[in-house]
């Protein structure tokens, strides 16, 4: 029998599931954190057709910086912008750490504090959807099996007008934030392992360098046992030093009595 055409809601649901699958696949194929963050904001911005999507990374002092952005039209570019406002930290960061999601359809009707409203106004925001990006660290103790830490925020923003965010859009961003958290953890682990490998390689190179220096000094000592001529010894010493440091020129300066 012929298939019935899908209604708008069913079609949109299929599109959301496809975005979720495609983005999860893309995130699993790279360990570069910048690529992970930029891919996420670009895909979300295009799908939601909102005017800006950003990722805000929390720093150790409670403030933060916008580390990824996808923005359209005439609206401000906020990439690299630091938010150091104390009221934002005092009022909202703790809420996000506890997993709170913030849905603002109209900033003028959201009963926001004046200082937070000022921050949004400076960013040209009329409506926003904010999802915490939470890292889960598994513990070894029975009483505390996992520890949650706020890494940052995934934020969709409407700048030209108010916007009534749909529950399906909220659910989509919540699911994407989970995938993003996993990808961030994997990228951080890769960076840590890569750093350890680089440090190990540097240590090995330094050991080889010291071994070579000791070998050259031993050879120079042996050479001195069989050659009593000072000029010959100086020439050999210059040769050894030049080879060790891999320099085109090496010389010995003799100081005069005065």
């Amino acid at each position: 029998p012929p298939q019935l055409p899908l209604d708008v809601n069913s079609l949109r649901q299929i599109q959301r599931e496809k975005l979720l699958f495609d983005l999860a696949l893309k995130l699993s194929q790279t360990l570069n954190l910048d690529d992970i963050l930029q891919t996420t904001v670009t895909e979300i911005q295009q799908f939601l057709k909102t005017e800006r999507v950003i990722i805000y990374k929390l720093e150790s002092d409670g403030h933060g910086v916008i580390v990824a952005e996808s923005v359209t039209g005439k609206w401000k570019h906020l990439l690299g912008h630091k938010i150091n406002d104390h009221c934002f930290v005092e009022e909202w960061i703790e809420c996000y750490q506890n997993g709170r999601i913030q849905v603002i359809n109209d900033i003028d009707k959201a009963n926001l504090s004046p200082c937070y409203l000022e921050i949004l106004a400076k960013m040209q925001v009329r409506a926003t959807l904010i999802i915490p990006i939470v890292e889960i660290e598994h513990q070894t103790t029975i009483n505390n099996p996992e520890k949650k830490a706020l890494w940052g925020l995934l934020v969709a923003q409407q700048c030209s007008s108010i916007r009534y965010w749909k529950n399906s859009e909220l659910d989509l961003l919540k699911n994407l934030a989970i995938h993003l958290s996993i990808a961030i953890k994997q990228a951080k682990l890769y960076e840590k392992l890569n750093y350890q490998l680089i440090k190990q390689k540097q240590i090995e190179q330094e050991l080889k360098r010291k071994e070579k220096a000791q070998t050259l000094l031993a050879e120079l000592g042996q050479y001195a046992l069989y050659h009593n001529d000072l000029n010959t010894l100086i020439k050999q010493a210059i040769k050894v030093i030049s080879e060790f440091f891999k320099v085109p020129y090496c010389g010995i300066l003799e100081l005069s009595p005065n």
Side-chain angles (χ1 to χ4, degrees):
Q3 293 183 344
L4 295 175
L6 294 171
D7 59 67
V8 175
N9 291 334
S10 298
L11 181 60
R12 197 62 176 166
Q13 176 63 26
I14 292 172
Q15 291 173 339
R16 285 193 294 270
E17 291 175 357
K18 184 178 185 303
L19 172 66
L20 192 60
F21 175 82
D22 290 345
L23 189 54
L25 181 62
K26 288 181 180 179
L27 295 184
S28 68
Q29 292 174 338
T30 179
L31 291 171
N32 183 287
L33 185 56
D34 290 337
D35 290 344
I36 289 170
L37 301 180
Q38 190 56 50
T39 297
T40 300
V41 294
T42 301
E43 295 284 346
I44 293 174
Q45 186 271 320
Q46 292 175 354
F47 183 82
L48 294 182
K49 294 182 173 57
T50 189
E51 284 142 346
R52 187 191 294 121
V53 175
I54 62 174
I55 291 176
Y56 170 91
K57 185 180 184 301
L58 192 67
E59 296 180 332
S60 58
D61 59 359
H63 300 293
V65 61
I66 295 171
V67 293
E69 174 190 52
S70 181
V71 61
T72 62
K74 62 184 179 180
W75 308 108
K76 283 183 180 179
H77 290 263
L78 303 176
L79 185 64
H81 180 73
K82 293 186 177 181
I83 300 178
N84 295 322
D85 195 288
H86 68 89
C87 78
F88 176 74
V89 175
E90 292 174 359
E91 289 185 32
W92 295 106
I93 291 300
E94 186 176 353
C95 296
Y96 295 132
Q97 285 175 332
N98 295 326
R100 175 171 176 173
I101 292 168
Q102 189 173 27
V103 182
I104 300 176
N105 299 316
D106 182 350
I107 65 170
D108 294 325
K109 296 180 180 180
N111 195 29
L112 303 174
S113 66
C115 61
Y116 186 36
L117 195 61
E118 184 181 357
I119 292 174
L120 294 176
K122 286 180 180 179
M123 298 169 73
Q124 301 176 314
V125 175
R126 296 289 306 281
T128 185
L129 185 57
I130 304 174
I131 310 291
I133 303 170
V134 179
E135 286 187 294
I136 298 177
E137 300 176 1
H138 294 284
Q139 305 295 308
T140 56
T141 59
I142 298 176
N143 295 330
N144 187 19
E146 63 181 27
K147 178 183 178 183
K148 294 182 179 180
L150 181 66
W151 184 90
L153 304 172
L154 175 59
V155 185
Q157 298 174 335
Q158 193 74 17
C159 301
S160 60
S161 63
I162 64 173
R163 175 166 176 163
Y164 292 93
W165 303 99
K166 300 175 183 177
N167 288 334
S168 58
E169 295 172 333
L170 174 60
D171 291 339
L172 174 66
L173 262 63
K174 285 167 62 178
N175 284 324
L176 288 175
I178 293 172
H179 286 286
L180 182 57
S181 175
I182 295 170
I184 289 171
K185 185 175 182 179
Q186 291 174 336
K188 288 173 65 177
L189 179 60
Y190 172 76
E191 288 179 358
K192 182 179 179 180
L193 291 174
N194 194 44
Y195 173 78
Q196 290 174 343
L197 287 173
I198 292 173
K199 291 295 292 182
Q200 182 62 32
K201 189 175 181 180
Q202 290 174 343
I203 291 172
E204 291 174 356
Q205 289 175 341
E206 183 62 24
L207 288 173
K208 288 180 180 179
R209 185 179 175 86
K210 288 180 178 179
E211 289 176 1
K212 185 177 180 181
Q214 291 172 353
T215 301
L216 290 174
L217 286 173
E219 291 176 354
L220 187 60
Q222 286 291 110
Y223 189 89
L225 292 175
Y226 299 101
H227 298 81
N228 297 322
D229 181 65
L230 181 59
N231 288 330
T232 303
L233 289 174
I234 290 175
K235 289 180 180 179
Q236 184 63 20
I238 290 173
K239 180 182 177 183
V240 168
I241 293 170
S242 179
E243 289 177 357
F244 180 75
F245 288 104
K246 296 179 181 179
V247 293
Y249 174 79
C250 180
I252 294 178
L253 179 65
E254 182 180 1
L255 297 177
S256 61
N258 60 353

